[in-house]
Amino acid sequence: MNSAIQIEHLDFCYGAKQALFDVSMEIPALQVTALIGPSGCGKSTLLRCFNRINDRIAGARVTGGSIRIHDIDIMRPDIDLLELRRHVGMVFQKYNPFAKSIYENVAYSSRIAGIKDKARLDEIVESSLRDAALWDEVKDRVHDSAFGLSGGQQQRLCIARAIANRPEILLMDEPCAALDPLATLKIEELIQQLKKQFTIVIVTHNMAQASRCSDKTAFMYLGKLIEFDDTKKIFTNPREKQTEQYITGSFG
Amino acid sequence: MSVVSSSEISRPPIQRKGFSYDRLIRYFFASNAGLTIVILLLIIAFLLKEGLGFFPGYRRELEIYRITGMEFVDLSRTNLTSHEQLTSLLNRAYFAEINGQADRELKRSTEAAALVADIDDFTASVRDSYFSATEEAAPAAEVIARLKAQYAALLSLAIKDLPPSPHLTEEERKGIIDAMMQRPIDNEDTPEFVTKLAGEYATARQKFAAPLEEARTRIDAFEAAGSELNSLVGEMTSLVRVSKDALNKSDILERERKSLLAAAASAKDPATRERLQQEAKTALAEVPDIRETTEKVLAKKSQCSEAHQKLHQSITGLTAQLTFSYQQAESVKLQRAALAAMPAFLKELEAAPAKIEAWNAAEPVHLSAAIHSFLTGKSWVTGGEWQDFYGILPLLTGSLMIAIVALLIAIPVGIGAAIYTNQFASLREQKLIKPIIEFIQAIPSVVLGFIGIFILGEALRTLSTSPALAWFPGFPMDERLNIFTAGCLLALMSIPTIFSLAEDAINNVPAAYSEASEALGASKLQTTFRVVVPAAFSGILAAVLLGFGRVIGETMVVLLVAGNRIKIPDFSAGVGAFFQPAHTMTGIIAQELGEVPVGSVHYRALFVVGILLFAIVLGINATAHHFTRKMKH
Amino acid sequence: MISEETLIRKGTPKGKGLDLGIRTMFAGLTYLILFVAVLLFCKICWDGAPTLFSTKAPFVNVSFLLDKNQTLHVFDNPQGERLQLPASEYMAYVKTNGEASVFNHQSFSYSGGGIIGPIVGTLLLTVGSIIIALFFGVSAAIYLSEYAKDSPFIHVVRLAILNLAGVPSIVFGLFGFSVFVLAVPIITDEPSSRSLFTLPLFASDYVISFQGWNSSLMAGCATLACMILPVIITASEESLKSVPQGFRDASLALGATRWQTIRRSVLPFSLPGILTSSLLAITRVAGETAPIMFTAAVAAKDDLPWEGMSNPLDILSSQVQALPYHIYTLAARIPNSEYTQRAQYGSVFVFLLLVALMSFSSMYLRAKVRAKLKW
């Protein structure tokens, strides 16, 4: 089994405050990997390193180790960030469609990449919306404002927007945190569909969700990776005591 | 056990009845909040109270204008004025040609004369003293001697700082100065050489005028063609003026009588009442009989028509011959302007007789005519000898044109700076940019006006005279103070408003938008222009509108810098119209309110301008707040 | 497919030049405006500073700040020296030397002496109007922030505040003129003929006459206070609202009344913010010309407001000079010549210095208050 992301001894700081300590793991391709842990454990930080969106924050930097995607060190200074982000898509905690129509939201990444051909755009929008299981619900109103959709639909729109680039890796930062249980269920079903095409890394607070939809689970605590293994193993027979305590709800 | 005895705590009972301090305090605060409503209502009420009387008053003025026959006279007068303007254009072209040809002589002569005049001015006072001293029977020798000494001192002082004379040779200049230095105190003659230069100039003029003799005769003929109309208008003017004065006087008497009667009605003491009523009776003005004079004027109807027809005929005949092949650029320009205006003038002349025949003094003047005249009037003429007109158009155009210039500059700069500061600038840059822009906002408008007069106006005009920019329409500027200068300063004034509001709007765009965009592989620039700015669009629009409101309502800058010429700019100049002086709605109030009698029609007209201004600005602000609300949702 | 090919930049990426160009353009626009502002400021300092400062001790030309404004007389004395004397010194000179010793005499209105009159006038106008506006404005803000519930009254008040804030200053001038100068009531024993109406006060000769306060300090203060009211209300409300709700809840829970709560637990904490924002309002009041042109200001006045007054309250009903109006007069009514420049640039420089001082200290204090008030 080949790995999509290799993390080796990663240290990461926000200014003077170190957020990740010596994290090493290999995230397998075309599977769902869940990052769990209590708030502030560094799981979102780690996720946000994979597309270097952390670069937006002043003072945030990697202080040691490396992240390699397909054997390319993405922390190299000559990495084309925009290209990297086209290959590593991201979905955020709070659904955040742009103040544009549904169509324009999905077509956004293609347009900034310079695609102007109408037919090609139509095709991309339709296939992305289909992949995000949204097409049937919105096909009659793709030119309406995205804000007219329900919360769950808006989050699926954001997924459609992220996969319109056809990335290889899809990062999801607590994608269901702002959704009701029914909408959450839909997203989880969607994740199962999507993992056929994309390597998915998902950060979640919800352990039931991690156990339901991930193949691998990493448990992090205080910026350190405590345990990383098959989901089944983590949830039934964890190696570390902290993992067990967290999973059984003793803390966190 | 309690440490504080219950008597020490004065506590109101839980259930309170009737009066309570707390409720009183609450009402006090509520009434202060209500004060804002009261002020707004007072503003509206008093603007209307002072302003609404304008329309009946103006209607009466227009009525007088009609029944006295002034309107009738003006039918002819406008044509006469255009004729005079055309004549003046033709004459200016002619003289520009001659003076252009005799340029060297003209300059030499003027420069020499300027030297002499400068020295003369400098020594004038001591000379005057000398002359008055010598007029006395026995002038004291020592006084004469002292004055002579002073004269010599002043002379040597005068020659230190003389105007330049680039067209005179160094020798000639020295000759003139020496002649002046040697001239005794009681001699007022101009040096010989200066007289000679004046003579040379006169000869040159004659020489160059000779080939233009034909032009001279034709222009004279053109001028003479208007003489009949001119004398007619003159006669009629003196006739109608008498009627107008009589009517105005009787109006004033009538008002006095009314106030006397009102005073009588409220007087308590019967004797005073009796006296006041008596006074009112004697003050009773007879309505003057102006019919006679009006008829005298109307009797000239046919004469007027004839004069117009004759003028039309003779000018039609002359127009074809009025093109002369001038060589000076200035003359060609003036001649072209004159010829361009000719067809419209001829059309007016042709239409005039019909208008004159159709005019009727008895036609009533309705209130709507006053409103119409205010809203669509092209002239604002006040305190005049003849007839006052209150037309808002010149002021409205001035205000709008200045606002256009200001916004054309302020929108790109203000929004651009807001985008840069919020999206691209580092924290340190922000700490530099924001306070400076806030400081610009704090600069009082009168200081900006001062800058306009003393710094910017001169700088812009110097710039406009540079030959490299001669292609630009309207350059070189005729006036230092004009629409463009005022617009530039108002731009400086509205940039902080637009900047801070637009920056707020951009700042309020959720960070999630730009994060999502960058996660999709968009560059910072793409994120800014495709996601952030469109999301802030209605907020930015509101910023622009509020900036517009500020520009329209601004007073001191336009009062000082706009040039204050009450005239609709000449749009035939194209973009050049923006380099002409103008007057504004705010400026006219500030300039004239202090000078008009309280309660007069003119005074009320200024309040109507105020109402209009108030309505415009309120409308703009309401639209802006509509967009701000939209932004929040 | 991710590969070294696509992910690693080679040379300058395409579009980078355009990117940089656009950024530079926007930076250019921003720094252009800063440059213009700084340039104008420096120009005025350069031309105006010599009036106020000198190279000799005590370095500040106090007489410009402390002398009354006078006409400037320029003439040559018999020795051929050009003298510039303010009116009072000129009179003395003529008295001693006689008319005959004055040559090439020119006079420039408003250009001699100093600017104590305008400075004092502006000070009085500003202090007066700010006191009025603070009293009513803070009260209104307390109502809006502490008492108001969502009611039609509040909606109308907010609408009124919003609209008042947008009214052009010249309209405030018209308003002040027609209301405070011509219509507000006064108590007098001889009502003017232009009085709108009079109400008798029983058992005396005095009546309440609606005839206005004439052009006077108090009419000007009242007009300026009305103009600045919305600014003060908005700033005060913001400052009151930034006091955490917990302060109020705690106080109310301890049995304090609303007013006690406001007085002891809310106002003390919001006062620094209110005062800081009113500094900004002061800058605006001090700089306004249009509202005081017809309500308070005169171009020339020989006495300071309190000179020759038997009753100190008469100051309120006297006209005053004001710095902005003085600058307007200097800019619009007298010609620009080498002799008037001292007064013109000097006055503007002093005024701008005051404004800059207030403006920057307001910014500084605001930053400080904000940093301190993090609950």
Side-chain angles (χ1 to χ4, degrees), chain B residues 11-12 22 25-26 28-30 32-37 39-40 42-43 46-47 49-50 121-126 129 146-147 150 153-154 157 412-413 415-421 424 429 432-440 442-448 450-451 453-455 489 492 495 523-525 529 553-556 559-560 586 589-591 593-594 598 603 606-607 610-611 613-614 617-618 621 625, chain C residues 18-19 22-23 26-27 29-34 36-38 40-41 43-44 76 78 80-81 100 102-104 135-136 139-140 142-144 147 149 153 156-157 159-175 177-179 182-183 196 226 229 233 254-255 257-260 262 280 283 287 289-290 293-294 324 327-328 330-332 336 344-345 348 351-352 355-356 359-360 362-363 366:
Chain B
R11 182 168 301 222
D22 231 34
I25 289 169
R26 185 195 161 97
F28 167 74
F29 287 138
N32 280 326
L35 190 66
T36 52
I37 306 176
I39 293 175
L40 193 68
L42 272 180
I43 293 179
F46 271 81
L47 283 183
K49 168 185 166 288
E50 304 286 352
D121 283 351
F122 216 81
T123 52
S125 58
V126 69
S129 322
R146 200 194 56 187
L147 285 172
Q150 276 175 13
L154 280 182
L157 205 65
V413 177
I415 296 178
I419 291 174
Y420 178 77
T421 310
F424 303 126
E429 281 179 284
L432 172 77
I433 296 167
K434 285 188 180 176
I436 294 188
I437 292 196
E438 200 169 321
F439 170 66
I440 300 177
I443 298 178
S445 58
V446 70
V447 171
L448 283 181
F450 181 89
I451 290 171
I453 290 187
F454 287 89
I455 304 170
L489 285 164
L492 191 64
I495 282 171
S523 68
K524 178 77 194 157
L525 208 64
F529 289 102
E554 166 50 37
T555 311
M556 295 319 288
L559 179 62
L560 286 168
T586 50
I589 299 175
Q591 192 180 31
L593 188 69
V598 172
Y603 168 83
L606 295 177
F607 274 84
I611 294 173
L613 192 65
F614 184 69
V617 172
L618 244 50
N621 287 356
H625 289 297
Chain C
L18 183 74
D19 206 292
I22 292 177
R23 266 178 199 238
F26 276 79
L29 281 177
T30 313
Y31 286 102
L32 173 79
I33 183 72
L34 299 194
V36 168
V38 171
L40 291 177
F41 188 73
K43 163 84 178 149
I44 286 186
D76 291 322
E81 290 164 317
V102 173
F103 304 98
N104 294 316
F135 176 77
F136 290 110
S139 309
I142 288 176
Y143 184 73
L144 290 176
Y147 288 100
K149 299 184 190 71
F153 175 66
V156 180
V157 168
L159 201 68
I161 293 174
L162 208 65
N163 283 324
L164 269 186
V167 173
S169 55
I170 188 72
V171 174
F172 272 109
L174 285 175
F175 159 73
F177 183 68
S178 58
V179 174
L182 296 179
L196 292 179
C226 290
L229 198 59
I233 294 179
L254 289 171
T257 61
R258 258 275 173 226
W259 169 235
Q260 286 167 332
I262 294 167
L280 208 68
T283 324
T289 321
M293 279 177 114
F294 321 114
I327 290 172
Y328 165 67
L330 288 174
N336 178 19
Q344 286 164 333
Y345 280 99
V348 170
F351 193 29
L352 204 58
V355 166
S359 167
F360 283 113
S362 139
M363 284 180 230
R366 198 175 47 206

Side-chain angles (χ1 to χ4, degrees), chain C residues 348-369:
Chain C
V348 170
F349 174 65
V350 170
F351 193 29
L352 204 58
L353 215 58
L354 285 177
V355 166
L357 203 70
M358 285 197 283
S359 167
F360 283 113
S361 50
S362 139
M363 284 180 230
Y364 173 72
L365 287 177
R366 198 175 47 206
K368 239 182 131 172
V369 167

Side-chain angles (χ1 to χ4, degrees), chain C residues 12 122-123 187 200 264 310 332-333 341-342 345 349-350 366:
Chain C
T12 336
T122 289
L123 212 64
I187 297 175
R264 297 186 189 281
S310 48
R333 303 231 184 116
Q341 275 199 356
R342 170 185 164 276
Y345 280 99
F349 174 65
V350 170
R366 198 175 47 206

